[in-house]
């Protein structure tokens, strides 16, 4: 693992790192914010998964997470959103497919299956790497994310309820196999077998029996993707049927941007910190 | 004045605006964050002046100022750092001169004197525009900034002590007429008459009798520009002689970046809010 940069911020250290991923078969870059509490002992880990077009860097610069992470003593780890590089399959003129749009799946279809293994990367390779290099307590992990990353966070938490103590999301894609703009990506990566798709659909996972303790979702009601792409009420209905307490907060006037994410970042980190220390 | 964008954030509104500046003789862009309190009455104004290479946008995206501004009910206004455009004099391969490096002076030397009037722009034209379009109380203004913008904030406050209720800075250039990397810019814009230069040098202004009630400065001790360009102890010594209380906080391990600025943003906004409401 190579350190690309470290900088002091909010009494902790914001770092950017690169490594040769054996899962994605390419160099991968990610960021880690270590709160000051990591100087004194292992700290819990909160994974943040970003949305379409983003890298690890967008939320690092605009997410305003460090103040709350330092207050609550939580490490924030932000993976990239896909494999990247010249040899990695891509659709340069699409923001919904290819590089920057990994959808946190393990692709099974050519040419994507060579590199697009973000599911295994985020659940296996990166946690192993992080636990080796940073003063973190891997028995206390939680996960959250935005949009496509909210989809990733929800799916990972539902599929690994014993790994992640808690899950939340900003404006997530909650039914990735149904909504047009995500279904296209999923079928490209996974084919059209419905069972394969449903394994990466939070609403379908809940319907088929996956469970988490509770879920927090913030969603702006001025979000341009709300009606076409996000529709959090689908997950809300499924959770109601399943008896999963879901707090869906419709936030008046907020859009899909980092101006929205940063507004509610403190609330989400506090939510996770309470569950990580429970 | 044209509205380029508005977005809801931290219960307020972050906007970006453009207008034809009669002072700089070109279109100028700036940002305004209106806290939620502006819905109920005029709010005080806190001007933020940015550093070399920046526009209004850098601190808007990375400065993490909205949470504290909303808490304290203060509008944050961020001007650009220079006139810009094809017809505006520039030195494209220098970050210390020309576009992005206005140094908040009224240039007197050709070709700069055509457009580079950032001093009058920030002290006269922009306040008049802002007071006309936003629900702000221009009897309660304060000012802060970073690096070159810290220089600007200090000079403007020292020259207009009745306009600005308070002044603070992150890693400011405190003696712009002395330090090599700022003296080059000042002499280019203003010529070599020492009196003209000293009017844009915070330390010299204090030495020659300008006064403010007090000053807050945060400075990272790992800032690569500390020894060569910033040297806050020069202003500290002048303030000591002048009886101006200056709080200079040397922050261990912090550099010159927005990771540093954002760490201490809350403290500065609180400092100004207390003085704006006094």
């Amino acid at each position: 693992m190579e350190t690309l940069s470290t900088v002091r911020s909010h009494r902790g250290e914001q770092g950017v790192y690169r490594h040769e991923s054996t899962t994605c078969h390419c160099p991968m870059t990610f960021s880690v914010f270590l709160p000051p509490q990591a100087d004194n002992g292992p700290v819990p880990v909160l994974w943040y998964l970003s949305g379409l077009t983003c890298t690890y860097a967008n939320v690092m610069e605009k997410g305003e997470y460090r103040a709350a992470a330092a207050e609550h003593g939580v490490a924030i780890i932000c993976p990239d959103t896909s494999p990247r590089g010249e040899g990695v399959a891509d659709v340069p003129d699409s923001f919904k497919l290819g590089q920057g749009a990994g959808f946190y799946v393990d692709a099974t279809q050519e040419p994507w299956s060579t590199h697009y293994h973000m599911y295994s990367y985020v659940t296996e390779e990166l946690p192993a790497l992080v636990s080796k290099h940073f003063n973190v307590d891997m028995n206390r992990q939680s996960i959250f994310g935005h949009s496509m990353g909210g989809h990733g966070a929800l799916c990972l938490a539902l599929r690994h309820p014993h790994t992640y103590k808690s899950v939340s999301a900003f404006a997530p894609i909650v039914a990735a196999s149904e909504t047009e703009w995500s279904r296209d990506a999923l079928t490209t990566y996974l084919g059209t077998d419905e069972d394969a798709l449903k394994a990466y659909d939070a609403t379908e996972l809940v319907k088929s029996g996956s469970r988490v303790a509770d879920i927090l979702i913030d969603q702006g009601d001025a979000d341009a993707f709300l009606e076409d792409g996000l529709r959090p009420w689908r997950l809300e209905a499924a959770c109601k049927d399943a008896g999963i307490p879901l707090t869906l907060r419709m936030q008046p006037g907020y859009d899909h941007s980092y101006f929205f994410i940063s507004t509610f970042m403190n609330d989400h980190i506090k939510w996770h910190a309470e569950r990580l220390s429970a």
Side-chain angles (χ1 to χ4, degrees), chain A:
Chain A
M1 189 185 83
E2 178 188 2
T3 301
L4 298 185
S5 66
T6 61
V7 61
R8 190 146 190 83
S9 193
H10 289 278
R11 299 178 288 120
E13 184 177 82
Q14 180 65 65
V16 180
Y17 308 90
R18 184 165 53 198
H19 69 118
E20 285 294 328
S21 167
T22 57
T23 305
C24 294
H25 304 290
C26 65
M28 293 291 285
T29 307
F30 63 98
S31 74
V32 176
F33 176 71
L34 280 182
Q37 293 85 345
D39 293 344
N40 303 317
V43 293
V45 168
L46 179 52
W47 297 91
Y48 182 92
L49 304 185
S50 291
L52 289 167
T53 77
C54 292
T55 70
Y56 68 91
N58 305 69
V59 73
M60 183 178 82
E61 295 177 347
K62 303 179 187 177
E64 304 188 13
Y65 59 69
R66 281 173 290 274
E71 180 188 345
H72 295 289
V74 176
I76 309 277
I77 307 185
C78 308
D80 205 342
T81 54
S82 78
R84 291 181 192 271
E86 283 194 13
V88 175
D90 195 16
V91 184
D93 59 352
S94 171
F95 73 94
K96 295 188 274 189
L97 208 57
Q99 296 187 29
F103 273 90
Y104 306 99
V105 305
D106 284 344
T108 56
Q109 307 299 301
E110 290 296 340
W112 312 100
S113 54
T114 311
H115 296 284
Y116 283 75
H117 304 142
M118 289 302 291
Y119 184 85
S120 294
Y121 176 71
V122 173
T123 57
E124 294 173 22
E125 184 181 8
L126 195 52
L129 184 78
V130 160
S131 71
K132 195 172 143 191
H133 290 282
F134 300 94
N135 198 10
V136 289
D137 176 3
M138 301 308 279
N139 292 317
R140 290 184 290 159
Q141 298 181 65
S142 289
I143 192 163
F144 67 154
H146 171 236
S147 197
M148 176 184 73
H151 145 77
L154 290 164
C155 289
L156 267 58
L158 284 160
R159 289 174 62 171
H160 301 274
H162 301 294
T163 301
Y164 304 104
K165 302 279 185 196
S166 51
V167 59
S168 76
F170 306 100
I173 299 170
V174 302
S177 75
E178 290 186 290
T179 310
E180 172 268 327
W181 66 323
S182 51
R183 184 176 173 88
D184 285 352
L186 288 202
T187 55
T188 301
Y189 297 142
L190 301 167
T192 52
D193 177 75
E194 288 300 325
D195 286 341
L197 299 176
K198 286 179 180 177
Y200 294 107
D201 180 310
T203 301
E204 290 297 331
L205 285 166
V206 169
K207 284 184 183 172
S208 63
S210 294
R211 294 292 179 265
V212 291
D214 52 9
I215 299 171
L216 170 64
I217 292 178
D218 275 307
Q219 170 65 56
D221 75 2
D223 186 327
F225 303 110
L226 177 55
E227 296 288 338
D228 286 348
L230 303 173
R231 306 181 214 172
W233 43 85
R234 293 189 185 199
L235 181 62
E236 189 178 41
C239 284
K240 198 166 185 181
D241 289 344
I244 299 175
L246 183 154
T247 304
L248 171 59
R249 307 194 303 187
M250 295 301 296
Q251 300 290 1
Y254 287 89
D255 71 2
H256 200 66
S257 71
Y258 285 90
F259 294 105
F260 155 68
I261 298 171
S262 62
T263 300
F264 301 103
M265 182 60 78
N266 278 6
D267 289 357
H268 283 244
I269 292 175
K270 184 166 179 279
W271 159 279
H272 289 289
E274 287 166 358
R275 284 152 182 79
L276 284 164
S277 62

